[in-house]
Amino acid sequence: AGLERRARKGTRACLGMGVALSVVLAAILIGCGHGAFWIFSQQTSVIAYGRTIIGITFPLYWLYAFLEIYAGSMRGRGNSLAPMVIILLNVCVARTVILFALTSSVVTVEAVALVYPITWAATALCMTVGYQLQIRKRTRRDAAIAEAA
């Protein structure tokens, strides 16, 4: 409804909150991972695997905020196709290909866990580019409408 500046400000605010919350919660869970997993299982091997996964994935979990916030912002602007394609290609297709490549010779929990931050980074990058392109397109369109009026 003509509130593009406000929408961009809201997107930036959500992104800041999402990244900050992800960093804080990741730090807490990295530090308290043993206790967090102990709630669900007291088996030392399960806790060890869980802490390994946390150690690999959680330091980069803040990337997930970019893909979710930008995807939601793009959908809110009426573009649901681009976020769907970006997520489908990166999270489904690329993740499967990378998982196959990293585990084709030896399957380790570290290799499986590493796939997640890799695809989060790729998806976040693609989503950021898609969001910026959508903003530029909208800005040009709005300028052309204003000039014609």
Side-chain angles (χ1 to χ4, degrees):
L3 302 173
E4 182 63 32
R5 186 175 297 157
R6 185 175 176 191
R8 280 189 263 172
K9 185 178 177 182
T11 299
R12 282 192 303 273
C14 288
L15 192 56
M17 288 186 290
V19 169
L21 185 61
S22 296
V23 169
V24 169
L25 290 177
I28 291 169
L29 286 170
I30 288 169
C32 303
H34 184 275
F37 280 104
W38 186 85
I39 294 169
F40 300 101
S41 175
Q42 289 75 44
Q43 291 181 324
T44 55
S45 61
V46 171
I47 294 170
Y49 280 128
R51 294 200 66 194
T52 299
I53 292 168
I54 284 176
I56 293 169
T57 59
F58 278 28
L60 297 172
Y61 196 71
W62 57 271
L63 289 168
Y64 206 79
F66 282 86
L67 66 108
E68 288 298 331
I69 300 298
Y70 282 150
S73 184
M74 290 169 68
R75 287 185 199 108
R77 287 178 167 84
N79 182 1
S80 59
L81 182 63
M84 180 194 69
V85 170
I86 291 169
I87 289 172
L88 182 67
L89 291 176
N90 283 286
V91 173
C92 298
V93 176
R95 186 173 287 169
T96 303
V97 170
I98 295 167
L99 185 61
F100 177 77
L102 289 177
T103 62
S104 60
S105 58
V106 177
V107 178
T108 64
V109 77
E110 292 87 352
V112 173
L114 187 60
V115 173
Y116 287 87
I118 290 170
T119 55
W120 294 338
T123 308
L125 177 65
C126 291
M127 204 64 75
T128 302
V129 169
Y131 174 79
Q132 293 300 325
L133 289 173
Q134 184 179 16
I135 294 298
R136 285 189 189 132
K137 182 179 177 181
R138 182 163 291 218
T139 302
R140 277 190 242 122
R141 186 196 72 198
D142 291 349
I145 291 171
E147 186 177 301

